[in-house]
Amino acid sequence: MTDKELMELAQKARGKSYSPYSHFRVGAALLTKSGKVYTGCNIENAAFTPTICAERTAIFKAVSEGEKEFEALAIVGGREGETAAFTAPCGVCRQVIAEFCPKDFKILLGDPDQFRSYTLAALFPYSFSGNEFN
Ligand code: THU
């Protein structure tokens, strides 16, 4: 699985986005160390707060299937009816990624034709790990 292929799967997942309130459509593709891919999209709700981001949909799908070792995460987002624009994960998703992934975990942002690779450490420095209480 190449980075570009993972980005293409994220873009395809973006097509499943349920976002009638923000009209902002996001897809994510999470590659496991075992080579499987779990995709996700954002799923909004009339009450707003139950909304879940594409990244967390993908991560929770994977973890609920017993996967906890991840290689990379691709994210493709943008306004409805428009081609993807650079979309970075929200703070809540960064915290959830940090729960399962190491500092050097690869996060791909952009669109399949133009994307950049970031580490989790670059996107989420000085994160809370829970070790503060140990
Ligand atoms: N959203 C994501 O799914 N992932 C992100 O990285 C940023 C935001 C969603 C949440 C909401 O449905 C919409 O995009 C607008 O914030």
Side-chain angles (χ1 to χ4, degrees):
M1 170 74 51
T2 65
D3 287 355
K4 187 177 168 67
E5 285 168 340
L6 197 62
M7 286 297 283
E8 284 166 351
L9 290 174
Q11 182 160 63
K12 195 170 168 211
R14 185 184 171 220
K16 300 277 201 317
S17 168
Y18 176 76
S19 40
Y21 305 103
S22 74
H23 303 283
F24 194 84
R25 300 172 69 86
V26 187
L30 178 66
L31 177 65
T32 70
K33 288 227 187 268
S34 60
K36 280 175 76 174
V37 176
Y38 290 84
T39 60
C41 62
N42 57 328
I43 304 168
E44 298 186 343
N45 188 278
F48 289 8
T49 48
T51 292
I52 187 165
C53 294
E55 299 90 322
R56 276 176 291 142
T57 303
I59 292 168
F60 293 160
K61 278 172 70 179
V63 173
S64 67
E65 295 295 327
E67 300 276 359
K68 279 196 280 295
E69 298 282 320
F70 304 118
E71 193 72 38
L73 175 66
I75 303 164
V76 175
R79 280 189 287 198
E80 189 178 288
E82 296 182 12
T83 54
F86 180 91
T87 301
C90 79
V92 171
C93 288
R94 291 177 205 213
Q95 184 68 41
V96 170
I97 295 166
E99 183 71 25
F100 297 103
C101 304
K103 296 266 178 213
D104 63 351
F105 179 67
K106 182 162 73 175
I107 300 171
L108 306 170
L109 304 178
D111 67 63
D113 292 323
Q114 196 177 7
F115 59 89
R116 265 193 66 183
S117 178
Y118 299 84
T119 63
L120 176 59
L123 295 181
F124 199 41
Y126 307 109
S127 59
F128 178 76
S129 70
N131 291 330
E132 292 79 355
F133 290 117
N134 294 333

